[in-house]
Amino acid sequence: MESLYLVYAAYGDTGAQNTIRAQRSMPRNLIFPGTLLVLTSIGCIEAPPPSPQATTAQTQPAREQKLRGEYGRYRANNDLLYYHLNIRVDPDKKFIAGTNTIRFKMLQPDTRIQLDLHSALNIDKILLGDTPLKYERDSGAVFVDFPQTLSAGETYSIDFYYSGSPAESGRFGSIAFKKDPAGRPWINTACEELGASMWWPNKDQWRDEVESMAISVAAPNDLSDVSNGKFLGKTDLGDGYTRWDWLVQYPINNYDVSLNIGKYEHFSDHLGDLPLDYYALPEDLDKAKKQFEQAKTMLEAYQHYFGEYPFKKDGYKLIEVPYSGMEHQSAVTYGNHFSNGYLERDWTGVGISPRFDFIIIHESGHEWFGNAVSAADRSDMWIHEGWTTYLESLYVEYRWGKEDALKYTSGYQAKVKNQEPIIARRGVNATPPADQYFKGTLFLNTLRSVINDDKKWFALIHDLFQRFKYQNIMTEDIVAFFNERTGMNLTPIFDQYLRHKDIPTLELKRDVVQHVISYRWLADEPAFAMPIRIAINEHWQVIVPTTEWQKLPAATERDEIRVATDLYYVNVVKD
Ligand SMILES: [Zn+2]
């Protein structure tokens, strides 16, 4: 989610102005005859300077990024099974202390494993049973050494004791010790960007997830903690603190693990037998009761397309926070001002986003893509963001029909920059550019048009979700699934959109003497051969251009040629 906020924060009003300009200057489906015209995304026409991300992606990764991002020997030699994070949080001192019990199975015999903890936090001790273990810290990495070789196939459990004042950094602070508007403590976590090891010790990468997790958070008696999973109960510790116990009964990303400590009021509802639990500040309770009603339609829509809500035993929660929002598994955090749109804006600029609460719809969509189906490396984060942005348009389609969904999705064209590929460098914890959201959804909409059969498309995306839920996958897994199920070779299309910065350009040339229209794709992928819908004098047809010239008969020199650029995200050049 967080990159979305970056875009908003970085461009502010400019984004909205670009969108307006886009609507004025670029009617959909229209190619002006005669002069050379390039239909492209507004991001390209008014290209902002490259982001700092773009430059760092091309340089050598810093040692700490490599330590974080590389799935090396001491990560790959074990498989995570379970965490029990058990901590006490002191709001006044901005201090955390506690343990993470880490259970794992060894896959290779070895004497060392790699965990992570930000250097601002102290390691108090690491125990295997009663035996203190030696460890070595290297920036954020913690290499834990065992006195004897751990055997492959055996399960081990260590207790990692830590304490300290975490460094608040990253867009949402990673962990932020704030006050609510009434001056009461309000402590929240959102650490996708920098990693969960900003505030607790874990194997901080994307490939391996625990199968289940217990979260115990002790906070001063007058506050409550809302974390992920099913609420098990609270215990008064007798020293002014109460411990809140939660149980996550599914695999979970490290960055999804969340604590929310505040003066929360709780109210509940249900959708069939799925419990819905909502948490808001006392002053916002009435607004929350009204706005959070949208969660039901959201769940109905996504269940319609993909099947049952994937974390049913843990329930679904919405929790008010001071930042825009985050997809914390089964505990989605919400800070969208109890208003429709995104931070009170029309997010894709075409009048549709103000009909719904963007944060409820987007962040909850991640329960399907991001939380249930997860990427195994941060480089392939479009599996979270591109898909979830596409889920927004499915929500629009479910509520208001396909035409509005296409309009909503086309509105994203103004946000795409096409300056670097969506898939970033692997193994270095690299964050892909914001195009992963906007170009990601435009690509999936294009892929749907390539399939050209909505019934087939909906079966494909439903089955894709069911095939990969609770797994950590890479783009190759999605491509292989689509190729196998369709019998088509879609690899060059995936590769062009995800692994190159440029989108394909459909080149059209009219020969007024011969009465023919020549066409081909200009693309980086030599085997790029994507079908596309064009109309000659309002007669729509699907042609299959390749990177070689082909010809179509044309009736007159005044033929009007149109390309379905709402169905396919492409450039069109007409000569
Ligand atoms: Zn997101």
Side-chain angles (χ1 to χ4, degrees):
M1 168 55 212
E2 88 261 328
S3 294
L4 204 49
Y5 186 78
L6 173 68
V7 170
Y8 170 77
Y11 298 113
D13 285 319
T14 320
Q17 285 160 6
N18 281 352
T19 306
I20 293 161
R21 219 171 286 142
Q23 286 169 323
R24 277 200 211 113
S25 61
M26 294 190 12
R28 277 183 303 146
N29 291 357
L30 188 64
I31 294 182
F32 301 102
T35 53
L36 179 85
L37 177 80
V38 180
L39 288 187
T40 183
S41 75
I42 297 303
C44 262
I45 291 170
E46 297 177 336
S51 66
Q53 273 168 4
T55 26
T56 45
Q58 285 145 19
T59 57
Q60 280 301 312
R63 177 175 168 74
E64 58 193 271
Q65 287 304 92
K66 211 168 164 216
L67 279 171
R68 265 295 301 289
E70 192 177 58
Y71 205 72
R73 169 178 166 184
Y74 302 115
R75 291 206 193 278
N77 66 7
N78 69 88
D79 177 30
L80 285 172
L81 298 175
Y82 171 81
Y83 293 137
H84 180 196
L85 179 64
N86 183 4
I87 59 173
R88 174 181 287 245
V89 179
D90 185 330
D92 295 333
K93 292 183 182 153
K94 301 185 177 183
F95 190 85
I96 300 180
T99 55
N100 187 21
T101 298
I102 303 171
R103 194 156 73 219
F104 55 94
K105 186 167 91 174
M106 286 306 280
L107 300 174
Q108 300 293 333
D110 219 331
T111 55
R112 170 174 261 211
I113 63 166
Q114 181 188 343
L115 300 172
D116 304 82
L117 183 67
H118 190 271
S119 53
L121 294 164
N122 305 312
I123 300 175
D124 298 325
K125 59 187 169 182
I126 304 174
L127 299 180
L128 175 69
D130 297 328
T131 311
L133 299 174
K134 289 184 176 158
Y135 56 86
E136 193 184 315
R137 301 189 81 163
D138 185 343
S139 60
V142 181
F143 294 98
V144 183
D145 289 308
F146 294 85
Q148 273 138 16
T149 302
L150 305 182
S151 308
E154 291 294 312
T155 295
Y156 299 89
S157 181
I158 60 172
D159 299 309
F160 193 127
Y161 288 77
Y162 78 111
S163 59
S165 296
E168 286 188 31
S169 76
R171 206 157 301 122
F172 301 146
S174 300
I175 181 166
F177 290 79
K178 287 189 157 54
K179 301 272 188 201
D180 71 15
R184 299 164 298 219
W186 204 12
I187 303 158
N188 308 89
T189 60
C191 54
E192 181 181 14
E193 185 191 15
L194 291 168
S197 53
M198 289 298 291
W199 64 279
W200 60 286
N202 61 84
K203 183 179 173 180
D204 205 359
Q205 43 66 59
W206 284 29
R207 188 167 296 273
D208 190 10
E209 295 182 9
V210 288
E211 308 299 319
S212 63
M213 177 171 185
I215 304 167
S216 302
V217 177
N221 284 339
D222 55 338
L223 303 171
S224 42
D225 169 61
V226 190
S227 288
N228 318 76
K230 185 185 165 84
F231 179 53
L232 297 181
K234 57 176 179 171
T235 306
D236 189 332
L237 300 175
D239 59 355
Y241 275 68
T242 296
R243 192 185 70 231
W244 301 75
D245 293 313
W246 299 85
L247 179 65
V248 179
Q249 301 166 88
Y250 300 88
I252 184 168
N253 295 335
N254 295 312
Y255 73 77
D256 267 332
V257 174
S258 174
L259 63 76
N260 299 280
I261 297 171
K263 183 71 183 170
Y264 282 114
E265 294 280 344
H266 169 227
F267 60 102
S268 57
D269 199 348
H270 60 90
L271 181 69
D273 53 357
L274 174 67
L276 311 175
D277 288 281
Y278 302 124
Y279 301 85
L281 297 177
E283 297 77 11
D284 295 328
L285 194 58
D286 290 341
K287 283 184 278 184
K289 281 183 173 169
K290 188 163 173 283
Q291 194 72 1
F292 290 178
E293 275 291 321
Q294 291 189 35
K296 282 191 192 172
T297 339
M298 172 278 297
L299 288 161
E300 279 167 9
Y302 295 152
Q303 293 195 130
H304 168 80
Y305 290 110
F306 297 104
E308 189 173 71
Y309 171 72
F311 306 106
K312 200 172 174 187
K313 287 185 283 181
D314 288 353
Y316 171 81
K317 294 177 279 297
L318 271 176
I319 305 148
E320 183 184 356
V321 292
Y323 58 89
S324 57
M326 187 68 201
E327 65 256 30
H328 299 121
Q329 184 171 307
S330 84
V332 172
T333 46
Y334 174 90
N336 200 31
H337 308 170
F338 304 101
S339 299
N340 283 356
Y342 179 41
L343 296 171
E344 290 158 274
R345 281 160 181 269
D346 178 352
W347 178 234
T348 78
V350 293
I352 291 172
S353 154
R355 296 180 197 167
F356 61 90
D357 190 309
F358 177 82
I359 287 295
I360 294 177
I361 304 312
H362 177 92
E363 302 308 336
S364 306
H366 279 303
E367 296 278 43
W368 280 264
F369 286 87
N371 302 348
V373 176
S374 307
D377 189 285
R378 198 166 159 79
S379 58
D380 290 38
M381 190 173 163
W382 82 280
I383 295 170
H384 300 201
E385 300 301 349
W387 276 90
T388 298
T389 306
Y390 184 67
L391 263 60
E392 296 163 18
S393 75
L394 289 177
Y395 176 80
V396 173
E397 183 159 348
Y398 181 79
R399 298 276 325 262
W400 300 288
K402 188 174 179 180
E403 201 176 316
D404 281 0
L406 283 175
K407 193 176 162 194
Y408 179 81
T409 303
S410 295
Y412 271 123
Q413 290 194 19
K415 297 182 193 289
V416 181
K417 291 200 236 160
N418 289 322
Q419 287 177 339
E420 47 181 322
I422 284 179
I423 295 179
R425 186 168 172 174
R426 290 193 176 168
V428 292
N429 196 37
T431 301
D435 277 4
Q436 64 173 319
Y437 293 79
F438 321 130
K439 191 173 171 179
T441 186
L442 289 160
F443 163 61
L444 289 171
N445 184 52
T446 303
L447 190 61
R448 173 176 173 172
S449 309
V450 169
I451 303 296
N452 197 23
D453 179 338
D454 279 354
K455 208 173 154 204
K456 205 166 156 188
W457 171 252
F458 288 130
L460 275 169
I461 61 173
H462 172 274
D463 295 354
L464 175 96
F465 171 76
Q466 292 297 332
R467 167 77 179 79
F468 294 120
K469 71 177 173 182
Y470 313 130
Q471 293 179 44
N472 298 62
I473 61 168
M474 297 296 279
T475 302
E476 289 86 335
D477 297 303
I478 295 179
V479 179
F481 176 88
F482 271 95
N483 283 347
E484 189 197 313
R485 281 287 300 264
T486 60
M488 300 163 82
N489 176 19
L490 297 167
T491 308
I493 299 177
F494 273 89
D495 285 350
Q496 181 63 45
Y497 281 93
L498 304 177
R499 302 184 192 280
H500 297 282
K501 69 180 178 63
D502 293 320
I503 57 173
T505 297
L506 180 63
E507 205 176 355
L508 296 163
K509 277 186 184 171
R510 182 167 31 196
D511 184 330
V512 292
V513 180
Q514 302 276 332
H515 288 281
V516 292
I517 296 162
S518 303
Y519 58 92
R520 70 169 178 183
W521 286 117
L522 290 174
D524 299 281
E525 287 293 317
F528 190 80
M530 186 172 85
I532 189 162
R533 279 174 77 81
I534 67 162
I536 302 172
N537 296 332
E538 295 299 316
H539 172 66
W540 286 95
Q541 59 185 305
V542 175
I543 57 170
V544 188
T546 65
T547 51
E548 304 293 328
W549 285 109
Q550 295 179 72
K551 287 185 170 71
L552 262 180
T556 73
E557 65 183 70
R558 298 181 64 83
D559 287 345
E560 192 199 358
I561 309 169
R562 295 166 66 195
V563 179
T565 50
D566 55 345
L567 299 176
Y568 306 81
Y569 179 48
V570 296
N571 293 323
V572 178
V573 177
K574 185 173 174 281
D575 185 357

